Amino acid sequence: MGSTALVMSAALLTDLTPMGMASQDPSAADTDAAAVRPMENLGRGVVAVRSSSTDVLVSWRLLGLDPEGIGFNVYRSTGESGTFTKLNSQELTEGTNFSDSTADLTKSNSYQVRPVVEGVEQGPSDAFVLSADHAQEPVVRIPLRDGAPIKFTWVGDLDGDGEFDYIVDRQTAPRTIEAYRSDGTFLWSMDMGPNGENVNNIEGGASSIDTGNWDGVTVYDFDGDGKAEVAARIAGGVKFGDGTTFTGAEGDHQSIAMLDGLTGAPRATAPVPDDYIDDGPLAARLAVGYLDGRTPTLVSFMKNRVGKGGFNLMINAWTFDGSKVEQKWKWLRGEQSAADGHNTRVIDVDGDGKDEVAEIGFVLNGDGTLRYSLADQGIGHGDRWYIGKLDPDRPGLQGYGIQQDNASGLREYYYDATDGSIIWKHSAEGVVDVGRGMVGDIDPNEPGLEAWSFSGLYNVKSNKLLVEDTTKQPWPALGLWWDGDLGMELLNDGKLEKWNPDFASAARNVPRLETVWKLGAVGFGSTSNPTLIGDLFGDWREEAVFTNADNNELVILSTDQATDTRLYTLAHNPAYRNDMTVKGYMQSHQVDYYLGSGMSAPARPQISYVGEAAD
């Protein structure tokens, strides 16, 4: 299960990769050629971590629209010399990482990369500085101000330099959020005000955020100016980052606000519809997608409780054009049978280049109409579910979910995400809360991804039970692409692990790769969750963001293992980038192509860069 030498150019559109592997069709349907979404104009995201006593792993992004056959050179400057020297003897055309074993690590070292296109070296990237006598650890540390514990981190390019900056919450009452540049420079703080003091999980205050699965905040460049905004559901008394106080809503009335990412000042607000105001304020979960294929759209999933009984559900779509926030549509569940869960997925389920809004038991089209409900298939509420390319040989995307106290005894289900047709179900006698479920390729001997819960570990394609004894399967916590092969690693209660499908002949069935607390990283809550998982910098592998014990530093796990696998940055994959904007109950992300053992090269993403004309 070591690294596989798989060279995958982001721009590869031919039928075969250089290694003879078929390029993946992004969906079963023809993509609307006009629906090319503008995405972040990212830089190279160079990062360097000390991987041994003598070695440094330098890693950088392959961008979604990089030309086929692009190569790279790596340069280093030591100490205060300012002179950069090329380290590689031959142009690098495989994995976008390089192991430097010749650096004087008693001094600071700066690394930059320079693309090579058709034999011509291009301009240098921004440099990453590895400090003198740096610790040997797979970690990047970002300084923060002193403050309360942090539950969530969001990222977006607030200043337009092509790299992700950070927004964090502070678990105060009322909650506050803070903005930092990528180097930890503090920008601003926002106080959610007196309506944010009630942080009850079920019936919180009108501006309460980040409690239970209710985040109420997200970050994205909504107006296409190259700088991300901070979107928030707010209420009266919120004190913005520029010191002004919001007076546009009173009591339980709420608004959607778009904040300037650099200053925290409100750029525009719009009222949340009052359909359910008689039952109090609406808790909010926010997400981003491109519902028309071209325009970044804020999706607000909002609920409140009717007395001590059921819940009202409202979903809205909002756009921001730089001067006003506009509600595009509103969907009310009312008496419809449409089960919700604890996460929202905004993803193109039919391959037309336009995103749909997906919940655990139903999907809305991009115009807010109901596409399908799984209620007639017996699907109800559950805590975990996923949509992605789970079966490389089946057209389109697939979904997997688990159930909580389903009256029929249904435990879990696997379905076609395009039309909601069920492919398989697992039921048993008795009504139980399955609690946790997960998908990922963890067994290279089986084609496609695996899905597992407390009810068993199965290969989704074959519906084959892979482990008879559930104590020998991995815990269904979080997944993380880390070590450079095409399988998924596991992040569970502060441990980075890798399940061994051949455990019968091994000493351990889930060997440990890293221990979070040994790196000074602290997770949030009883399961030590990271505050964010995402491909933040470096190559296509993911980072996991924690804090230190004093809550004045982000401790970002970033891989120290080299790989020859070349994939474009996951942040330029539409499905993955959408999912980075969602919190809810933290769950792992999926891309819209098959990423796993035996994969073929993903097709070039149907994107352009903000500020540049589409091809």
Side-chain angles (χ1 to χ4, degrees), residues 195 200-209 214-216 233-235 251-256 271-286 300-306 311-316 318 330-332:
N195 284 300
N200 181 277
N201 184 21
I202 301 298
E203 297 181 286
S207 58
S208 176
I209 62 169
W214 307 112
D215 45 64
R233 189 274 280 108
I234 64 169
D252 291 339
H253 295 273
Q254 298 164 299
S255 292
I256 295 294
V272 170
D274 283 342
D275 298 72
Y276 298 133
I277 193 70
D278 290 345
D279 294 309
L282 292 157
R285 188 167 69 229
L286 303 186
S300 60
F301 174 101
M302 307 181 75
K303 291 175 66 175
N304 62 5
R305 193 169 192 177
V306 183
F311 292 84
N312 299 309
L313 171 59
M314 174 194 298
I315 300 177
N316 297 279
W318 314 81
K330 174 181 67 179
W331 182 82
L332 305 178

Side-chain angles (χ1 to χ4, degrees), residues 585-604:
Y585 282 176
M586 184 167 290
Q587 298 174 46
S588 298
H589 313 307
Q590 291 291 316
V591 291
D592 56 20
Y593 59 86
Y594 172 66
L595 203 171
S597 301
M599 71 180 289
S600 54
R604 179 187 180 109

Side-chain angles (χ1 to χ4, degrees), residues 39-43 63 157 160-163 226 572 608-612:
M39 294 185 69
E40 288 137 324
N41 197 346
L42 295 172
L63 302 174
D157 185 2
D161 69 351
E163 302 302 335
H572 272 162
S608 63
Y609 298 148
V610 167
E612 296 183 6

Side-chain angles (χ1 to χ4, degrees), residues 124-340:
S125 69
D126 290 341
F128 181 92
V129 180
L130 188 70
S131 61
D133 297 311
H134 197 281
Q136 180 182 322
E137 58 180 11
V139 167
V140 174
R141 299 180 183 274
I142 306 296
L144 305 176
R145 301 196 308 174
D146 290 336
I150 293 169
K151 181 178 182 179
F152 289 141
T153 300
W154 298 264
V155 293
D157 185 2
L158 303 180
D159 55 14
D161 69 351
E163 302 302 335
F164 286 130
D165 306 298
Y166 304 100
I167 299 288
V168 300
D169 75 331
R170 295 288 189 175
Q171 292 283 294
T172 52
R175 301 283 192 253
T176 54
I177 62 174
E178 297 174 349
Y180 295 85
R181 291 186 190 271
S182 58
D183 63 358
T185 301
F186 172 75
L187 293 172
W188 52 268
S189 176
M190 181 171 80
D191 186 321
M192 300 311 292
N195 284 300
E197 292 178 359
N198 175 7
V199 293
N200 181 277
N201 184 21
I202 301 298
E203 297 181 286
S207 58
S208 176
I209 62 169
D210 294 356
T211 180
N213 74 110
W214 307 112
D215 45 64
V217 175
T218 196
V219 181
Y220 206 77
D221 179 10
F222 290 96
D223 63 355
D225 67 351
K227 298 180 181 180
E229 288 76 44
V230 177
R233 189 274 280 108
I234 64 169
V238 166
K239 188 174 182 180
F240 295 116
D242 64 348
T244 60
T245 299
F246 182 62
T247 59
E250 298 180 355
D252 291 339
H253 295 273
Q254 298 164 299
S255 292
I256 295 294
M258 289 289 178
L259 312 180
D260 185 283
L262 282 174
T263 68
R267 296 183 61 187
T269 63
V272 170
D274 283 342
D275 298 72
Y276 298 133
I277 193 70
D278 290 345
D279 294 309
L282 292 157
R285 188 167 69 229
L286 303 186
V288 178
Y290 291 69
L291 305 187
D292 64 359
R294 305 175 185 85
T295 308
T297 302
L298 176 70
V299 175
S300 60
F301 174 101
M302 307 181 75
K303 291 175 66 175
N304 62 5
R305 193 169 192 177
V306 183
K308 298 298 182 181
F311 292 84
N312 299 309
L313 171 59
M314 174 194 298
I315 300 177
N316 297 279
W318 314 81
T319 58
F320 174 60
D321 65 2
S323 61
K324 68 179 184 301
V325 176
E326 181 179 359
Q327 179 185 295
K328 306 302 290 186
W329 51 258
K330 174 181 67 179
W331 182 82
L332 305 178
R333 179 167 57 188
E335 299 302 318
Q336 300 176 82
S337 294
D340 62 278

Side-chain angles (χ1 to χ4, degrees), residues 14 36 101 159 185 230 257 297 342 344 352 382 392 420 457 470 501 534 573 594:
T14 57
V36 176
S101 59
D159 55 14
T185 301
V230 177
T297 302
H342 294 295
T344 299
D352 67 353
L457 189 156
T470 57
N573 180 261
Y594 172 66

